[in-house]
Every structure is written in C-alpha cells, then in structure tokens.
Amino acid sequence: MLERLLAEAAQSPSQEICGLLFGDDAAISAATTCRNVAADPSMAFEIDPAALFAAHKAMRAGGPKVIGHYHSHPTGLAAPSAVDAAAAMGGELWLIIAGGDATLWRATNDGAWLERFDRVPIRSTAPCAAAIASP
C-alpha cells in the first residue's frame, strides 16, 4: 500500500494528492485515493466532501473505520506544515508524502511537532497493510 501511495505522489509532482486511511488502532488496512478539490491543489489539499461523506456513511453502516488521511507535499517535507496544524483535529492519523518518503503522524492537542502532531513509527507487517507502532 505504501509503495502505491509513493508512486501516486511521484506521478503528481506539481499537485498534492490525497486520500483516506482505513483501519484500527493497530494497523492501516487500506488507503483510498480521493479527488483533491482545493482551490489551489499545488499548494493545498481538500478531500472531496462526497468521498468523505460516503466513507463515514459506510463506516456507520459497519464498513471500514476511517482513521485518518494522507496527502503529499510536492515541494515540501514529509512532515506536517503550519497549514496542516491549523486544520488538525485530535486523534486522526496524517500520512504525509514528499520526496519519495512518507511519515505518519497523529494529531494531538499538545504534540511535539508544531504543538499539534506526534510522529508515529510505521512497521510493515504485510504487503497490503502498515502497522502503527505503539507509542
């Protein structure tokens, strides 16, 4: 899964890609690409509200749990930006891709990074899943 997301970001060098992460407290089991509907996708991301609504509706009906999202920084670092920090809500995962690298973060109210995020180690456990290492 991570290799697919890295390839997707590499194929979009001038615009941010984005999507939803599904799983539980132990692992990311799936990632679904969503349309970036931001006014300027070269500088920001906004997950298509229809995709977000559909994912939450499916989750309430017993489908996979939405645990966060991913996006790329075409000209930045694989770390949350100040804009990301302003948009973050507590608890969700943020997988950020840049320069062929990816890092995983959990939004918090008192994080070590920009006072909004804590880094979460990624452990590869299977070809289609990435485990979330416990803090």
Side-chain angles (χ1 to χ4, degrees):
M1 171 180 50
L2 188 55
E3 293 80 16
R4 176 180 64 83
L5 299 180
L6 290 168
E8 185 180 325
Q11 292 172 0
S12 182
S14 62
Q15 293 192 350
E16 294 193 20
I17 63 160
C18 61
L20 296 171
L21 300 174
F22 300 89
D24 56 31
D25 290 339
I28 299 168
S29 58
T32 301
T33 301
C34 298
R35 193 167 57 100
N36 182 350
V37 297
D40 183 359
S42 68
M43 298 297 295
F45 83 99
E46 181 181 341
I47 292 174
D48 182 351
L52 190 56
F53 179 78
H56 281 278
K57 184 176 179 182
M59 180 176 69
R60 286 191 305 276
K65 181 180 177 185
V66 177
I67 59 171
H69 60 274
Y70 70 90
H71 73 281
S72 64
H73 289 168
T75 59
L77 303 174
S81 68
V83 172
D84 295 335
M89 296 185 300
E92 77 270 11
L93 293 174
W94 290 58
L95 180 68
I96 301 179
I97 304 163
D101 191 21
T103 56
L104 185 62
W105 305 83
R106 184 172 305 279
T108 68
N109 292 325
D110 59 353
W113 184 265
L114 300 175
E115 299 180 358
R116 292 295 292 144
F117 295 95
D118 287 324
R119 185 138 182 211
V120 179
I122 300 173
R123 294 184 290 115
S124 180
T125 59
C128 60
I132 303 164
S134 299

